[in-house]
Amino acid sequence: MRPKAKNKKFKILLLQLHGIDLLLTRNTPLNMPFAAGYLKAMLYKEGLLDEVDVEILDLNKTPLPGNARLVDLIVSRSPDLLGLTLFSFNSIQSLYIAENVKRRLPGLKVIVGGPEVTAETSYILNNPVVDIGCIGQGEVTFVQIVKDIMKNKSGYADIKGIFYKRSDRVNITPSREPIRELDSVPSPYIEGFINLNDYITAFIETYRGCYFKCTYCSYNKPYGYFSANRVQEEIEFLKQNGIKKIYFIDSNFILSPVFYDACERIIRLNTHNDLEFYADISVEHLDDKKADLLKACNFKGVEAGLQTINPATLKNIGRPLLNAEKFKKGIRLLTERKISCAVSVMIGLPQDTLKDIRKTAGFLRESKVGSALAQLLQVFPGTRIRREAKKYGIKYQRKPPYLMIESPYISKGEIKKAVGLYRNASVKQCNVGIFFSYSFCNFPLSLENKGRKKTSGETGLLDSGINKVIIELNEHLPLVKLGEKISRLAQQPFTIWFKASYLQKYLTPIKSFLSHIKKDNPFLVWNVVLETDGVVSFDIIEEIKKSVKAKENLSSDGCFLLEPLSVYIVCEKNREKGSSSLFKKLAPDAKFYCPLNISAADCWENKLDDILKEKGYAGVLMDFDKTLELSFIIRTLKTAIKRTRAQNKTMLFRNIAVYCLFSLIDQGQKNDNTSLIKPAPSRIIYINKDFNISSECLPDADAFLDLVEFQVKSLRALRKI
């Protein structure tokens, strides 16, 4: 440990990283540091906060720091102890961060906990950066660890439920009994240890563990529960503090020991349905009384795990056999009460063939299930199915996310076909990539002057993190030097937009620029935009992919690994012979968007139709002349949305105000309710050919108030049109 100044508190920093999959699949990641809140609450209960300064590094706010910036942020806090909550989706990245922090703070103690920490997770047990790991529930264990560290104890053998290092040897202590009376753990919400201002959705648990014994899960026994009174107190507190949605994270809410009592209390405190509720349930355990209670509480959606209808497979994985009639009745009860239900199925289970998976899909259609979610089997450490993988011939990834690869029952090709049963591309909706919205100026209002702005030189690059960089390329631009500066400032997700008439000419400096940033940010999520008047070759795409390719691809969408790179090409259709075949060749690796500038005099509808007919384009990048009236923009967007959606294509915008207007119109076309858009406070750098920062904008509160006023004005205009 580092020597401490007199009267200085022991500093603890707790961190739960996002998974890259969240950044790739959601506009606003939800990553509430629930476990960290419990740990701080227990230290508070034990009276340790007078001696210990505990900070929960809340990363739910966007933009999120990149790897290098996060390391710098943690080092600047100078903690004595870094606590990491590890899941399969964030563990490798978390350990990378810890390694780089500890290199600069050599006296730092690193403690890990969470579902990924087991006695069988060897890459964590043997990682030299980890000092201690909590196996199982961590609230009581963590308090004991902190007390022993503060007493400068050299060993931790008397603490149950941990592993620790001594003389480079990993020691695992006997397991700890789970907490039965969970009310003994203070609420992190009520004690104020989670900042609810950053969330509209919160989590609540009424019990821990699970009544099922699925072999692919290690959470397969009930541990303890919270009282209905505690549940009520938390819900009341969350409601008073602006939370609108609550998700019960129990393994099966309707089997909770306090289900009936909790529901009756919710009904009394949610008389005006100000709160919406969501939960995981088992449909077969649903009856009329339980369904009525869910409706009366204002449950809007539930998720149910079916996995398969194959009796042999269900027996192999330790799940009860399906009662088809009860399942169908449960779906009907939910449908009648207008509670949406998403049913999850698992691909790759023992003895479940493609034929069996098709039968399961047919059963879901027959049961009139509204939504089905497919997930590939994950072979987690510490589970029975991992121990039996060899018996069933299951091949799987040895590192997170542990996806199964193939088995004697289902081949790689059949896995893709099985996933395709649940992912129908024809129902994919148009969406908007807000990372394109880099302009806070021009039509329809100027926000740039309301934010912090610099107009020349490169000193502005060093002020804070950067989300988006737009660069007009020329041969004199010092891209390598620029990449070195930006590498420690990049934030998640990171967009780099290159503009040039002929991109091939700048390929070498582009690669160097990207490589510098990637070196310090190996887990960065990239959006690379190439805007050009010329032709984009296959070689350019391949070289860019190599420059930013992650060392390990560790994220998935539940079925397939996700590539943390999206390439977008903005260009006019090339009329030369062979351009269509080039589009087709590049389509798997990049998305093409055609720029469309609209003025009142334009025959824009014909131009849009021509773009949408071109199979090579994913959509259109739309700009509006700044002199246009708001009413004209609204009518244009309404028409354009219908046409692009009919062709299953997307619309993107440079101007953030136009993006917000588009979103308001899009919401109104889908339902009667519209809500104002709150874009992430992105920092955007525009570097012109003379290496001047012609636009650097970090919008302040006044700028976003202007944006809200514009949206209110737009809503009024929408009602008139």
Side-chain angles (χ1 to χ4, degrees):
M1 297 292 294
R2 301 190 304 280
K4 300 186 65 60
K6 190 175 181 180
N7 298 325
K8 181 184 176 184
K9 282 188 175 183
F10 185 82
K11 174 72 176 179
I12 297 175
L13 189 66
L14 302 176
L15 173 65
Q16 177 177 307
L17 279 180
H18 289 79
I20 293 175
D21 51 341
L22 279 178
L23 294 169
L24 290 167
T25 57
R26 298 186 186 182
N27 286 333
T28 307
L30 179 62
N31 185 43
M32 181 177 282
F34 204 40
Y38 275 132
L39 298 183
K40 186 171 182 178
M42 283 298 286
L43 292 172
Y44 162 75
K45 179 185 176 182
E46 294 295 317
L48 290 173
L49 294 191
D50 291 334
E51 306 171 60
V52 177
D53 179 13
V54 182
E55 179 184 359
I56 299 173
L57 198 58
D58 190 347
L59 297 181
N60 189 62
K61 294 180 180 179
T62 53
L64 303 166
N67 307 139
R69 186 164 171 75
L70 180 56
V71 169
D72 291 344
L73 181 63
I74 295 172
V75 170
S76 71
R77 301 294 206 272
S78 193
D80 300 294
L81 186 155
L82 177 63
L84 302 171
T85 303
L86 301 186
F87 297 86
S88 61
F89 58 75
N90 72 3
S91 58
I92 301 294
Q93 184 182 180
S94 298
L95 294 173
Y96 169 85
I97 297 297
E99 178 186 356
N100 282 270
V101 171
K102 202 165 187 176
R103 190 176 293 131
R104 293 165 62 181
L105 300 175
L108 178 71
K109 287 284 187 183
V110 175
I111 300 179
V112 297
E116 183 67 0
V117 182
T118 74
E120 298 178 27
T121 319
S122 58
Y123 78 93
I124 295 176
L125 296 173
N126 298 319
N127 193 306
V129 77
V130 177
D131 296 293
I132 306 171
C134 297
I135 301 174
Q137 290 184 7
E139 288 94 346
V140 175
T141 306
F142 185 71
V143 170
Q144 286 189 255
I145 292 171
V146 171
K147 286 180 177 179
D148 280 8
I149 290 176
M150 292 178 67
K151 292 175 183 176
N152 290 317
K153 280 193 174 183
S154 58
Y156 308 96
D158 59 336
I159 302 177
K160 291 183 177 181
I162 69 167
F163 74 84
Y164 66 97
K165 311 288 181 59
R166 190 168 188 177
S167 301
D168 295 327
R169 179 182 174 184
V170 176
N171 299 277
I172 301 177
T173 65
S175 60
R176 179 182 295 278
E177 278 294 309
I179 304 169
R180 301 297 179 187
E181 300 293 333
L182 288 171
D183 281 4
S184 63
V185 181
S187 168
Y189 297 132
I190 295 173
E191 300 302 338
F193 298 139
I194 293 179
N195 183 4
L196 294 174
N197 293 330
D198 298 331
Y199 303 90
I200 59 171
T201 301
F203 301 133
I204 283 184
E205 53 182 350
T206 69
Y207 74 103
R208 293 179 181 176
C210 184
Y211 293 95
F212 291 176
K213 298 185 182 299
C214 307
T215 64
Y216 51 78
C217 179
S218 59
Y219 203 52
N220 47 19
K221 61 181 177 180
Y223 298 134
Y225 65 93
F226 292 93
S227 68
N229 188 57
R230 163 68 175 266
V231 173
Q232 177 182 342
E233 288 176 350
E234 287 198 325
I235 293 174
E236 287 177 334
F237 183 85
L238 293 171
K239 181 181 179 182
Q240 292 166 6
N241 284 271
I243 293 297
K244 301 299 182 184
K245 300 178 181 180
I246 292 176
Y247 202 115
F248 287 95
I249 57 173
D250 304 334
S251 58
N252 194 334
F253 177 58
I254 61 176
L255 295 185
S256 168
V258 299
F259 171 75
Y260 291 104
D261 196 356
C263 284
E264 294 294 347
R265 292 167 185 251
I266 291 171
I267 292 168
R268 289 195 294 270
L269 65 87
N270 196 34
T271 52
H272 299 294
N273 288 339
D274 298 315
L275 293 171
E276 294 180 1
F277 294 91
Y278 302 83
D280 292 339
I281 68 169
S282 57
V283 174
E284 292 167 70
H285 288 91
L286 196 64
D287 56 28
D288 289 83
K289 182 178 180 180
K290 290 177 179 176
D292 286 340
L293 284 171
L294 293 178
K295 177 63 177 177
C297 289
N298 198 34
F299 271 79
K300 292 295 185 180
V302 296
E303 185 173 333
L306 175 65
Q307 316 314 354
T308 180
I309 65 171
N310 183 353
T313 299
L314 290 170
K315 183 179 179 181
N316 287 333
I317 63 174
R319 285 180 67 88
L321 296 181
L322 172 71
N323 186 318
E325 293 309 311
K326 283 188 175 181
F327 182 91
K328 291 177 181 178
K329 179 184 177 182
I331 295 296
R332 177 175 55 79
L333 291 174
L334 293 169
T335 303
E336 289 172 351
R337 290 157 180 80
K338 296 183 179 179
I339 300 173
S340 66
C341 179
V343 177
S344 61
V345 298
M346 195 170 289
I347 295 167
L349 294 169
Q351 294 186 321
D352 214 32
T353 65
L354 179 59
K355 183 178 179 181
D356 296 317
I357 294 168
R358 286 193 171 117
K359 288 181 180 178
T360 299
F363 174 75
L364 292 177
R365 287 192 295 270
E366 180 186 321
S367 304
K368 299 181 180 179
V369 169
S371 175
L373 308 172
Q375 182 169 342
L376 193 60
L377 172 66
Q378 291 175 274
V379 187
F380 290 110
T383 59
R384 193 178 118 196
I385 203 164
R386 187 165 179 127
R387 295 190 290 272
E388 295 178 344
K390 189 173 182 180
K391 167 185 171 182
Y392 292 113
I394 298 173
K395 295 180 181 179
Y396 60 92
Q397 299 167 346
R398 299 292 169 166
K399 285 189 176 182
Y402 307 113
L403 294 175
M404 73 93 63
I405 300 169
E406 61 181 345
S407 75
Y409 314 107
I410 189 165
S411 66
K412 293 179 183 178
E414 288 174 329
I415 288 173
K416 290 184 178 180
K417 290 179 181 178
V419 173
L421 294 172
Y422 299 95
R423 296 188 180 179
N424 186 350
S426 65
V427 299
K428 183 179 179 181
Q429 297 297 314
C430 295
N431 55 50
V432 172
I434 191 169
F435 62 85
F436 270 86
S437 306
Y438 68 75
S439 175
F440 280 81
C441 52
N442 297 329
F443 175 84
L445 77 168
S446 176
L447 294 177
E448 192 167 11
N449 292 331
K450 294 290 184 72
R452 290 195 286 113
K453 175 186 175 186
K454 292 181 174 61
T455 56
S456 64
E458 57 180 283
T459 55
L461 291 172
L462 303 177
D463 289 346
S464 60
I466 299 171
N467 300 89
K468 308 174 183 73
V469 181
I470 301 100
I471 301 177
E472 294 183 3
L473 295 168
N474 72 38
E475 57 269 22
H476 304 298
L477 195 64
L479 273 183
V480 175
K481 181 181 178 183
L482 188 61
E484 291 173 351
K485 290 184 178 295
I486 290 176
S487 67
R488 303 208 69 82
L489 301 173
Q491 299 191 137
Q492 298 272 30
F494 182 70
T495 297
I496 176 67
W497 189 319
F498 295 109
K499 304 175 74 172
S501 296
Y502 184 59
L503 284 168
Q504 189 77 38
K505 178 179 178 181
Y506 304 103
L507 181 56
T508 298
I510 285 175
K511 287 167 54 182
S512 297
F513 174 87
L514 296 174
S515 296
H516 274 292
I517 298 174
K518 182 249 179 181
K519 179 183 176 183
D520 291 328
N521 300 274
F523 298 95
L524 200 63
V525 175
W526 294 82
N527 295 304
V528 178
V529 186
L530 307 174
E531 184 171 4
T532 180
D533 299 327
V535 177
V536 178
S537 70
F538 181 74
D539 292 340
I540 291 179
I541 306 298
E542 283 299 298
E543 291 300 319
I544 286 176
K545 288 176 67 176
K546 289 178 185 177
S547 298
V548 302
K549 185 175 177 60
K551 183 178 180 181
E552 295 178 277
N553 198 353
L554 304 170
S555 299
S556 78
D557 61 359
C559 291
F560 301 121
L561 291 175
L562 294 173
E563 184 68 47
L565 165 68
S566 298
V567 178
Y568 301 84
I569 299 172
V570 179
C571 66
E572 296 276 4
K573 181 181 177 182
N574 193 297
R575 302 295 179 182
E576 295 177 10
K577 186 177 180 180
S579 62
S580 296
S581 61
L582 178 63
F583 270 9
K584 188 175 181 180
K585 183 179 181 181
L586 294 176
D589 300 287
K591 292 183 179 180
F592 284 83
Y593 285 84
C594 186
L596 178 61
N597 297 302
I598 296 178
S599 67
D602 282 342
C603 298
W604 67 269
E605 292 178 74
N606 292 335
K607 293 180 181 179
L608 178 62
D609 287 340
D610 286 343
I611 294 169
L612 297 177
K613 288 176 185 176
E614 173 55 61
K615 293 182 179 179
Y617 281 124
V620 59
L621 174 61
M622 191 172 287
D623 289 307
F624 290 91
D625 189 280
K626 61 183 179 181
T627 62
L628 293 173
E629 294 289 333
L630 179 60
S631 58
F632 176 84
I633 300 292
I634 291 174
R635 286 193 295 270
T636 300
L637 285 174
K638 280 187 171 183
T639 302
I641 289 171
K642 290 179 181 178
R643 296 191 181 195
T644 52
R645 180 158 288 125
Q647 297 293 327
N648 195 33
K649 297 196 176 183
T650 58
M651 296 169 61
L652 300 171
F653 309 93
R654 301 181 201 266
N655 188 292
I656 198 166
V658 178
Y659 162 77
C660 290
L661 179 56
F662 163 88
S663 298
L664 293 174
I665 296 170
D666 194 36
Q667 288 182 57
Q669 290 185 353
K670 291 178 181 177
N671 53 64
D672 295 330
N673 299 318
T674 55
S675 56
L676 300 185
I677 312 302
K678 184 182 178 182
S682 303
R683 183 164 182 255
I684 305 147
I685 303 291
Y686 195 114
I687 301 171
N688 66 15
K689 293 181 179 180
D690 299 320
F691 198 37
N692 287 324
I693 301 175
S694 57
S695 174
E696 177 194 352
C697 186
L698 179 62
D700 57 16
D702 289 341
F704 281 103
L705 281 175
D706 277 2
L707 192 57
V708 169
E709 289 178 9
F710 165 72
Q711 292 184 71
V712 172
K713 177 183 176 182
S714 299
L715 283 172
R716 291 178 185 145
L718 278 167
R719 295 189 183 103
K720 294 179 181 179
I721 296 176

